[in-house]
Amino acid sequence: MSPAVPPHLKSFGAGSKYSHKDVMLLHQTFCSLDKSGDGQISIAELQVSLPKVDHSKHQISELQVVRSLDVNKDGMVSFEEMLKRLYPLANAKEIKVMYKWAYPDPEEAPVDPGFVPTAQQLQDLKDMFKIYDKNNNGGLEYKELVEMSGSVGYDPSELDSLFKASDKANASTCAFI
């Protein structure tokens, strides 16, 4: 998994502190273990999928793996349960977003793995625009945005998707509305 954002950097949004790529890799692994394709991993599927292990040396069995991931104690592991166990600090909304990355609802618009700002983040962004919009045109270039976010403690590595989502007109600038 991707390294966590260093503690001295702020994160741009609730969805962005979890890597879309990592969640999709976890989903791929989940699907490879779910031999029946029913959306659940059973002890029998783990026994077939996992390499044969001498349990006397490792002190863990397929049953123990299932029990450790099985949130609702039905003897099966769903992808949502796996998310809850592997991302224990994620709240219900974040788990739902990550789940929808793996299982998008065709009736709904796709869930953006990017950013939904809090009121404080919105105010931070407004303040940054005022400082870095040198020509007062209401827009920032990517380079200015990276400089701006780093100077106030945000993680500049998150900016690529944020910038692309904000640059609706492909003008190589983003405007604060």
Side-chain angles (χ1 to χ4, degrees), residues 6 9 12 18 42 49-50 55 62 64 93 121 123 157 165:
L9 294 178
F12 268 109
Y18 301 107
S42 67
S49 300
L50 296 178
H55 299 300
E62 291 85 357
Q64 289 169 310
K93 180 181 177 186
Q121 290 169 328
Q123 187 58 50
S157 68

Side-chain angles (χ1 to χ4, degrees), residues 7 13 21 26 28 32 35 45-46 48 56 62 68 79 84 90 116 119 122 127 129 135 137 148 151 158 163 167-168:
K21 180 181 173 184
L26 179 62
Q28 182 180 4
S32 73
K35 299 296 184 192
E45 288 171 320
L46 278 178
V48 170
S56 64
E62 291 85 357
S68 70
F79 185 65
K84 287 177 180 177
V116 176
L122 220 59
D127 294 343
F129 262 78
N135 61 3
N137 71 350
M148 165 187 74
S151 70
E158 295 181 329
F163 188 81
D167 186 19
K168 302 282 187 214

Side-chain angles (χ1 to χ4, degrees), residues 22-32 79 82 102-103:
D22 289 346
V23 170
M24 296 310 291
L25 182 60
L26 179 62
H27 181 251
Q28 182 180 4
T29 302
F30 178 87
C31 290
S32 73
F79 185 65
M82 191 175 270
Y103 297 101

Side-chain angles (χ1 to χ4, degrees), residues 92-157:
K93 180 181 177 186
E94 292 165 335
I95 293 291
K96 183 178 179 181
V97 167
M98 291 186 283
Y99 183 86
K100 286 190 174 221
W101 290 342
Y103 297 101
D105 184 346
E107 301 295 318
E108 292 181 17
V111 176
D112 179 11
F115 136 87
V116 176
T118 65
Q120 180 59 51
Q121 290 169 328
L122 220 59
Q123 187 58 50
D124 286 351
L125 288 170
K126 283 180 184 178
D127 294 343
M128 288 185 282
F129 262 78
K130 289 176 187 174
I131 293 169
Y132 288 93
D133 184 12
K134 302 293 185 197
N135 61 3
N136 295 317
N137 71 350
L140 294 176
E141 296 175 7
Y142 181 76
K143 182 178 135 194
E144 293 171 316
L145 192 61
V146 169
E147 178 185 337
M148 165 187 74
S149 67
S151 70
V152 293
Y154 282 95
D155 181 3
S157 68

Side-chain angles (χ1 to χ4, degrees), residues 163-175:
F163 188 81
K164 287 177 183 171
S166 300
D167 186 19
K168 302 282 187 214
N170 291 323
S172 298
T173 62
C174 65

